[in-house]
Coordinates of all heavy atoms in Angstrom, one line a residue:
S1 N 0.9 -1.1 0.0 CA 0.1 0.0 0.0 C 0.9 1.2 0.0 O 2.0 1.2 0.5 CB -0.9 0.0 1.2 OG -0.3 0.0 2.3
P2 N 0.4 2.3 -0.5 CA 1.2 3.6 -0.6 C 1.3 4.2 0.8 O 0.5 4.0 1.6 CB 0.3 4.6 -1.5 CG -1.0 4.0 -1.4 CD -0.9 2.6 -1.2
V3 N 2.5 4.9 1.0 CA 2.7 5.7 2.2 C 2.0 6.9 2.1 O 2.1 7.7 1.1 CB 4.3 5.8 2.4 CG1 4.5 6.7 3.6 CG2 5.0 4.5 2.5
Y4 N 1.3 7.3 3.2 CA 0.5 8.6 3.2 C 1.1 9.6 4.0 O 1.6 9.3 5.2 CB -0.9 8.3 3.6 CG -1.8 9.5 3.5 CD1 -2.5 9.8 2.3 CD2 -2.0 10.4 4.6 CE1 -3.2 10.9 2.3 CE2 -2.8 11.5 4.6 CZ -3.4 11.7 3.3 OH -4.2 12.9 3.2
S5 N 1.4 10.8 3.5 CA 2.0 11.9 4.2 C 1.0 12.9 4.6 O 0.2 13.3 3.7 CB 3.1 12.5 3.5 OG 3.7 13.6 4.1
C6 N 1.0 13.4 5.8 CA 0.0 14.4 6.2 C 0.7 15.5 7.0 O 1.2 15.4 8.0 CB -1.0 13.7 7.2 SG -2.5 14.8 7.5
P7 N 0.7 16.7 6.3 CA 1.4 18.0 6.9 C 0.7 18.3 8.2 O -0.4 18.1 8.4 CB 1.4 19.0 5.9 CG 0.1 18.7 5.1 CD 0.1 17.1 5.1
G8 N 1.5 19.2 9.0 CA 0.9 19.7 10.2 C -0.1 20.8 9.9 O -1.2 20.8 10.5
T9 N 0.2 21.7 9.0 CA -0.7 22.7 8.6 C -0.7 22.7 7.1 O 0.4 22.5 6.5 CB -0.5 24.1 9.2 OG1 0.8 24.5 8.8 CG2 -0.5 24.1 10.8
L10 N -1.7 23.3 6.5 CA -1.8 23.4 5.1 C -2.4 24.7 4.8 O -3.5 25.1 5.3 CB -2.6 22.3 4.4 CG -2.6 21.9 3.1 CD1 -1.2 21.7 2.5 CD2 -3.4 20.7 2.8
T11 N -1.7 25.5 3.8 CA -2.4 26.8 3.3 C -2.6 26.6 1.8 O -1.6 26.4 1.1 CB -1.4 28.0 3.6 OG1 -1.3 28.1 5.0 CG2 -2.1 29.4 3.2
L12 N -3.8 26.7 1.3 CA -4.2 26.6 0.0 C -4.7 27.9 -0.6 O -5.5 28.5 -0.1 CB -5.3 25.5 -0.1 CG -5.1 24.2 0.5 CD1 -6.3 23.3 0.5 CD2 -3.9 23.5 -0.2
T13 N -3.9 28.3 -1.6 CA -4.3 29.6 -2.3 C -4.4 29.3 -3.8 O -4.0 28.3 -4.4 CB -3.1 30.6 -2.1 OG1 -1.9 30.2 -2.8 CG2 -2.8 30.8 -0.7
P14 N -4.9 30.3 -4.6 CA -5.1 30.1 -6.0 C -3.6 30.0 -6.6 O -3.4 29.3 -7.6 CB -5.7 31.4 -6.4 CG -6.6 31.8 -5.4 CD -5.8 31.5 -4.0
A15 N -2.7 30.8 -6.0 CA -1.3 30.7 -6.5 C -0.6 29.3 -6.4 O 0.2 29.0 -7.2 CB -0.4 31.8 -5.9
N16 N -1.0 28.5 -5.5 CA -0.4 27.2 -5.3 C -1.3 26.0 -5.7 O -1.2 24.8 -5.3 CB 0.2 26.9 -3.9 CG -0.9 26.9 -2.8 OD1 -2.0 26.7 -3.0 ND2 -0.4 26.9 -1.6
D17 N -2.3 26.3 -6.6 CA -3.2 25.3 -7.1 C -2.7 25.0 -8.5 O -2.8 25.7 -9.5 CB -4.6 25.8 -7.2 CG -5.5 24.8 -7.5 OD1 -5.1 23.7 -7.9 OD2 -6.8 25.0 -7.5
P18 N -2.1 23.7 -8.6 CA -1.5 23.3 -9.9 C -2.5 23.0 -11.1 O -2.2 23.1 -12.2 CB -0.7 22.1 -9.6 CG -1.5 21.5 -8.5 CD -1.9 22.7 -7.6
N19 N -3.7 22.7 -10.7 CA -4.7 22.4 -11.7 C -6.1 23.0 -11.2 O -7.0 22.2 -10.9 CB -4.8 21.0 -12.0 CG -5.6 20.6 -13.2 OD1 -6.1 21.5 -13.9 ND2 -5.8 19.4 -13.5
P20 N -6.3 24.3 -11.3 CA -7.6 24.8 -10.7 C -8.9 24.4 -11.4 O -9.9 24.4 -10.8 CB -7.4 26.3 -10.9 CG -6.5 26.5 -12.0 CD -5.5 25.3 -11.9
A21 N -8.8 24.0 -12.7 CA -10.0 23.6 -13.4 C -10.2 22.0 -13.5 O -10.7 21.5 -14.3 CB -10.0 24.2 -14.8
S22 N -9.6 21.3 -12.5 CA -9.6 19.9 -12.5 C -11.1 19.3 -12.3 O -11.9 20.0 -11.7 CB -8.7 19.3 -11.4 OG -9.3 19.5 -10.2
I23 N -11.3 18.1 -12.8 CA -12.5 17.4 -12.7 C -12.4 16.3 -11.8 O -11.4 15.6 -11.8 CB -12.9 17.0 -14.1 CG1 -13.2 18.1 -15.0 CG2 -14.2 16.0 -14.0 CD1 -13.4 17.7 -16.5
G24 N -13.3 15.9 -11.1 CA -13.2 14.7 -10.2 C -13.0 15.1 -8.8 O -13.0 16.2 -8.3
Q25 N -12.5 14.1 -8.0 CA -12.2 14.3 -6.6 C -10.8 14.8 -6.2 O -9.9 14.2 -6.7 CB -12.6 13.0 -5.8 CG -12.4 13.2 -4.2 CD -13.0 12.0 -3.5 OE1 -13.5 11.1 -4.1 NE2 -12.5 11.9 -2.3
R26 N -10.7 15.7 -5.3 CA -9.4 16.3 -4.8 C -9.5 16.2 -3.3 O -10.5 16.7 -2.7 CB -9.1 17.6 -5.4 CG -8.9 17.5 -6.9 CD -8.7 18.9 -7.5 NE -7.4 19.3 -7.2 CZ -7.0 20.6 -7.3 NH1 -7.8 21.5 -7.9 NH2 -5.7 20.9 -7.2
E27 N -8.6 15.7 -2.6 CA -8.6 15.7 -1.1 C -7.3 16.3 -0.5 O -6.2 16.0 -1.0 CB -8.8 14.3 -0.7 CG -9.1 14.1 0.8 CD -9.4 12.7 1.2 OE1 -9.9 11.9 0.4 OE2 -9.4 12.4 2.4
F28 N -7.6 17.2 0.5 CA -6.4 17.8 1.2 C -6.6 17.6 2.7 O -7.7 17.7 3.3 CB -6.4 19.2 1.1 CG -6.4 19.6 -0.5 CD1 -7.5 19.8 -1.3 CD2 -5.1 19.8 -1.2 CE1 -7.4 20.0 -2.6 CE2 -5.0 20.1 -2.5 CZ -6.2 20.2 -3.1
N29 N -5.6 17.0 3.4 CA -5.7 16.7 4.8 C -4.5 17.3 5.5 O -3.4 17.4 5.0 CB -5.7 15.2 5.0 CG -6.9 14.5 4.5 OD1 -8.0 14.7 5.0 ND2 -6.8 13.9 3.4
A30 N -4.7 17.6 6.8 CA -3.5 18.2 7.6 C -3.9 17.8 9.2 O -5.0 17.6 9.5 CB -3.5 19.7 7.6
I31 N -2.8 17.6 9.8 CA -2.9 17.1 11.2 C -3.5 18.2 12.0 O -4.5 18.0 12.8 CB -1.5 16.8 11.9 CG1 -0.9 15.7 11.0 CG2 -1.5 16.6 13.3 CD1 0.6 15.4 11.4
Q32 N -3.2 19.4 11.9 CA -3.7 20.5 12.7 C -4.8 21.4 12.0 O -5.9 21.4 12.5 CB -2.6 21.5 13.1 CG -3.0 22.6 14.0 CD -3.4 22.1 15.3 OE1 -3.0 21.2 15.9 NE2 -4.2 22.9 16.0
S33 N -4.4 22.1 10.9 CA -5.3 23.0 10.3 C -5.2 23.1 8.8 O -4.1 22.9 8.2 CB -5.2 24.4 11.0 OG -3.9 24.9 10.7
I34 N -6.2 23.6 8.2 CA -6.1 24.0 6.8 C -6.8 25.4 6.6 O -7.8 25.7 7.2 CB -7.0 23.0 5.8 CG1 -6.4 21.6 5.8 CG2 -7.1 23.6 4.4 CD1 -7.2 20.6 5.0
T35 N -6.0 26.3 5.9 CA -6.5 27.6 5.6 C -6.6 27.7 4.1 O -5.7 27.4 3.4 CB -5.6 28.6 6.2 OG1 -5.5 28.5 7.6 CG2 -6.0 30.1 6.0
S36 N -7.8 28.2 3.6 CA -7.9 28.3 2.2 C -8.5 29.5 1.6 O -9.4 30.1 2.2 CB -8.8 27.1 1.7 OG -8.9 27.1 0.3
T37 N -8.0 30.0 0.5 CA -8.5 31.1 -0.2 C -8.7 30.7 -1.7 O -8.9 31.5 -2.6 CB -7.6 32.4 -0.2 OG1 -6.3 32.1 -0.7 CG2 -7.5 33.0 1.2
R38 N -8.7 29.4 -1.9 CA -8.8 28.7 -3.3 C -10.1 29.1 -3.9 O -11.2 29.2 -3.1 CB -8.6 27.5 -3.3 CG -7.1 27.0 -3.2 CD -6.8 25.8 -3.9 NE -5.3 25.7 -3.9 CZ -4.7 24.5 -3.9 NH1 -5.3 23.3 -3.8 NH2 -3.4 24.4 -3.9
I39 N -10.3 29.1 -5.2 CA -11.5 29.1 -5.9 C -11.7 27.8 -6.5 O -10.9 27.3 -7.4 CB -11.4 30.2 -7.0 CG1 -11.1 31.6 -6.3 CG2 -12.7 30.3 -7.9 CD1 -10.8 32.7 -7.4
I40 N -12.7 27.0 -6.1 CA -13.0 25.7 -6.8 C -13.9 26.0 -7.9 O -15.1 26.4 -7.8 CB -13.6 24.9 -5.7 CG1 -12.7 24.7 -4.4 CG2 -14.1 23.6 -6.3 CD1 -13.3 24.0 -3.2
Q41 N -13.2 25.7 -9.1 CA -13.9 26.1 -10.3 C -13.9 25.0 -11.4 O -14.2 25.3 -12.5 CB -13.3 27.4 -10.9 CG -11.9 27.2 -11.2 CD -11.1 28.5 -11.7 OE1 -11.9 29.5 -11.8 NE2 -9.8 28.5 -11.8
G42 N -13.6 23.9 -11.0 CA -13.6 22.7 -11.9 C -15.0 22.5 -12.5 O -15.9 23.1 -12.2
N43 N -15.0 21.5 -13.4 CA -16.3 21.1 -14.0 C -16.8 19.9 -13.1 O -16.5 18.7 -13.3 CB -16.1 20.7 -15.4 CG -17.5 20.4 -16.0 OD1 -18.4 20.6 -15.4 ND2 -17.3 19.8 -17.2
Y44 N -17.7 20.1 -12.1 CA -18.1 19.2 -11.1 C -17.0 18.6 -10.3 O -16.9 17.3 -10.3 CB -19.1 18.2 -12.0 CG -20.2 18.8 -12.5 CD1 -20.3 19.2 -13.8 CD2 -21.3 19.2 -11.7 CE1 -21.3 19.8 -14.4 CE2 -22.4 19.8 -12.2 CZ -22.4 20.2 -13.6 OH -23.5 20.8 -14.0
A45 N -16.2 19.4 -9.7 CA -15.2 19.0 -8.9 C -15.8 18.6 -7.5 O -16.7 19.2 -7.1 CB -14.0 20.0 -8.7
D46 N -15.2 17.6 -6.8 CA -15.7 17.2 -5.5 C -14.4 17.4 -4.6 O -13.5 16.5 -4.7 CB -16.1 15.8 -5.6 CG -16.5 15.2 -4.2 OD1 -16.7 16.2 -3.2 OD2 -16.7 14.1 -3.9
V47 N -14.3 18.4 -3.8 CA -13.1 18.7 -3.0 C -13.4 18.5 -1.6 O -14.4 19.0 -1.1 CB -12.7 20.2 -3.3 CG1 -11.5 20.6 -2.5 CG2 -12.4 20.4 -4.8
K48 N -12.5 17.8 -0.9 CA -12.6 17.6 0.5 C -11.5 18.0 1.2 O -10.2 17.9 0.8 CB -12.6 16.0 0.7 CG -13.9 15.4 0.0 CD -14.0 13.9 0.3 CE -15.3 13.4 -0.3 NZ -15.4 12.0 -0.2
Y49 N -11.7 18.8 2.4 CA -10.7 19.3 3.2 C -10.9 18.6 4.6 O -12.1 18.5 5.1 CB -10.9 20.8 3.5 CG -10.5 21.8 2.4 CD1 -10.9 23.1 2.6 CD2 -9.9 21.3 1.2 CE1 -10.6 24.0 1.5 CE2 -9.8 22.1 0.3 CZ -10.0 23.5 0.4 OH -9.7 24.5 -0.7
G50 N -9.8 18.1 5.2 CA -10.0 17.4 6.6 C -8.7 17.9 7.4 O -7.6 17.8 6.9
A51 N -8.9 18.4 8.6 CA -8.0 18.8 9.5 C -8.4 18.5 11.0 O -9.5 18.4 11.3 CB -7.7 20.3 9.4
G52 N -7.3 18.2 11.8 CA -7.5 17.8 13.2 C -8.2 18.9 14.0 O -9.0 18.5 14.9
S53 N -7.8 20.1 13.9 CA -8.5 21.2 14.7 C -9.4 22.2 14.0 O -10.4 22.4 14.5 CB -7.4 22.1 15.4 OG -6.5 21.2 16.3
Y54 N -9.1 22.7 12.9 CA -10.0 23.5 12.2 C -9.7 23.6 10.7 O -8.6 23.4 10.2 CB -10.1 24.9 12.7 CG -8.7 25.7 12.8 CD1 -8.5 26.5 11.6 CD2 -7.8 25.6 13.7 CE1 -7.3 27.3 11.6 CE2 -6.5 26.3 13.6 CZ -6.3 27.2 12.5 OH -5.2 27.8 12.4
V55 N -10.7 24.0 9.9 CA -10.6 24.4 8.6 C -11.2 25.8 8.5 O -12.2 26.2 8.8 CB -11.5 23.5 7.6 CG1 -11.5 24.0 6.2 CG2 -11.0 22.0 7.7
D56 N -10.3 26.8 7.9 CA -10.6 28.2 7.9 C -10.7 28.6 6.4 O -9.7 28.7 5.7 CB -9.4 29.0 8.5 CG -9.7 30.4 8.8 OD1 -10.9 30.8 8.6 OD2 -8.8 31.1 9.3
L57 N -11.9 29.0 6.0 CA -12.1 29.4 4.7 C -12.1 31.0 4.7 O -13.1 31.6 5.3 CB -13.5 29.0 4.2 CG -13.7 27.4 4.3 CD1 -15.1 27.1 3.9 CD2 -12.6 26.8 3.4
K58 N -11.1 31.5 4.2 CA -10.8 33.0 4.2 C -11.5 33.7 3.2 O -11.9 33.1 2.1 CB -9.2 33.3 4.2 CG -8.5 32.7 5.3 CD -8.6 33.6 6.5 CE -7.6 33.2 7.6 NZ -7.8 34.0 8.8
P59 N -11.6 35.1 3.3 CA -12.1 35.9 2.1 C -11.4 35.6 0.9 O -10.2 35.5 1.0 CB -11.9 37.3 2.7 CG -12.0 37.2 4.1 CD -11.3 35.9 4.4
G60 N -12.1 35.4 -0.3 CA -11.6 35.0 -1.4 C -11.9 33.6 -1.9 O -11.9 33.2 -3.0
F61 N -12.1 32.7 -0.8 CA -12.6 31.3 -1.1 C -13.8 31.4 -1.7 O -14.8 32.1 -1.3 CB -12.6 30.5 0.2 CG -13.0 29.2 0.0 CD1 -12.2 28.2 -0.3 CD2 -14.4 28.8 0.1 CE1 -12.5 26.9 -0.5 CE2 -14.9 27.6 0.0 CZ -13.9 26.6 -0.4
W62 N -14.0 30.5 -2.7 CA -15.2 30.5 -3.6 C -15.4 29.2 -4.1 O -14.5 28.5 -4.7 CB -15.2 31.6 -4.6 CG -16.4 31.8 -5.5 CD1 -17.7 31.4 -5.2 CD2 -16.5 32.5 -6.5 NE1 -18.5 31.8 -6.1 CE2 -17.9 32.5 -7.0 CE3 -15.5 33.2 -7.4 CZ2 -18.3 33.2 -8.1 CZ3 -16.0 33.8 -8.5 CH2 -17.4 33.8 -8.9
V63 N -16.7 28.6 -4.1 CA -17.0 27.3 -4.7 C -18.0 27.7 -5.9 O -19.2 28.2 -5.5 CB -17.6 26.3 -3.8 CG1 -18.1 25.0 -4.6 CG2 -16.7 25.9 -2.6
K64 N -17.6 27.6 -7.1 CA -18.4 28.0 -8.3 C -19.5 27.0 -8.4 O -19.2 25.7 -8.1 CB -17.6 28.3 -9.4 CG -16.8 29.6 -9.3 CD -16.0 29.9 -10.6 CE -15.4 31.3 -10.4 NZ -14.8 31.7 -11.7
G65 N -20.5 27.3 -9.1 CA -21.6 26.4 -9.4 C -21.2 25.0 -10.0 O -20.2 25.0 -10.8
G66 N -21.9 23.9 -9.6 CA -21.6 22.7 -10.2 C -20.6 21.9 -9.5 O -20.2 20.8 -9.8
N67 N -19.9 22.5 -8.4 CA -18.9 21.9 -7.6 C -19.3 21.7 -6.3 O -20.3 22.3 -5.8 CB -17.7 22.9 -7.7 CG -17.1 23.0 -9.1 OD1 -16.7 22.1 -9.7 ND2 -17.4 24.2 -9.7
A68 N -18.5 20.9 -5.5 CA -18.9 20.6 -4.1 C -17.7 20.7 -3.2 O -16.5 20.3 -3.6 CB -19.6 19.2 -4.0
L69 N -18.0 21.1 -2.0 CA -16.8 21.2 -1.0 C -17.4 20.5 0.3 O -18.5 20.6 0.7 CB -16.5 22.6 -0.6 CG -15.6 22.7 0.6 CD1 -14.2 22.2 0.3 CD2 -15.4 24.0 1.2
E70 N -16.5 19.6 0.8 CA -16.9 19.0 2.1 C -15.6 19.2 3.0 O -14.5 19.0 2.6 CB -17.0 17.4 1.9 CG -17.3 16.7 3.2 CD -17.3 15.3 3.0 OE1 -17.6 14.7 2.0 OE2 -17.0 14.4 4.0
A71 N -16.0 19.9 4.2 CA -15.0 20.1 5.1 C -15.2 19.6 6.4 O -16.3 19.7 7.0 CB -14.8 21.7 5.3
K72 N -14.2 18.8 7.1 CA -14.4 18.1 8.3 C -13.3 18.3 9.3 O -12.2 18.5 8.8 CB -14.5 16.6 8.1 CG -15.7 16.2 7.3 CD -15.7 14.6 7.1 CE -16.9 14.1 6.5 NZ -17.0 12.7 6.5
V73 N -13.6 18.4 10.6 CA -12.5 18.4 11.6 C -12.5 17.0 12.1 O -13.3 16.4 12.7 CB -13.0 19.3 12.7 CG1 -12.0 19.3 13.8 CG2 -13.2 20.8 12.3
E74 N -11.3 16.3 11.6 CA -11.1 15.0 11.8 C -9.5 14.7 11.6 O -8.9 15.5 11.0 CB -11.9 14.0 11.1 CG -11.6 14.2 9.5 CD -12.4 13.4 8.6 OE1 -13.4 12.7 9.1 OE2 -12.2 13.4 7.4
G75 N -9.0 13.7 12.2 CA -7.6 13.4 12.0 C -7.2 13.1 10.6 O -8.2 12.8 9.6
C76 N -6.0 12.8 10.3 CA -5.6 12.4 8.9 C -5.9 11.0 8.7 O -5.9 10.2 9.6 CB -4.1 12.7 8.8 SG -3.6 14.4 8.7
P77 N -6.2 10.5 7.5 CA -6.5 9.2 7.1 C -5.2 8.3 7.5 O -4.1 8.8 7.4 CB -6.7 9.2 5.7 CG -6.9 10.7 5.3 CD -6.2 11.5 6.3
N78 N -5.5 7.1 7.8 CA -4.4 6.2 8.1 C -3.8 5.7 6.8 O -4.5 5.4 5.9 CB -4.9 5.0 9.0 CG -5.3 5.5 10.4 OD1 -4.6 6.4 10.9 ND2 -6.2 4.8 11.0

């Protein structure tokens, strides 16, 4: 099975999104927190954020029509 790496904190911005118009599922996890200003603009993208303490959606964060975001306060996957 693959080795899974989970950072302590994660900051997601439009500038560090390698494929902003992607299709399908994308998942981001952090041990402590995720802060995001990303624009989810793919064609029916299903994006999931999971962090141990909090997920902070800052001004500028936007989910455009036809896309979905799920954010949970939970530990990193095993």
Side-chain angles (χ1 to χ4, degrees):
S1 65
V3 174
Y4 187 82
S5 175
C6 193
T9 61
L10 194 55
T11 301
L12 304 171
T13 69
N16 67 13
D17 190 351
N19 191 3
S22 67
I23 298 171
Q25 185 172 342
R26 297 172 74 189
E27 188 168 341
F28 302 91
N29 295 288
I31 296 168
Q32 181 66 29
S33 65
I34 294 177
T35 301
S36 182
T37 58
R38 283 208 174 150
I39 299 169
I40 299 172
Q41 60 186 354
N43 185 11
Y44 297 99
D46 180 16
V47 179
K48 296 181 179 184
Y49 290 173
S53 294
Y54 65 90
V55 175
D56 191 6
L57 306 177
K58 296 284 192 183
F61 178 84
W62 186 14
V63 179
K64 292 188 175 185
N67 300 292
L69 171 73
E70 177 182 335
K72 291 183 176 183
V73 175
E74 62 184 5
C76 288
N78 292 330

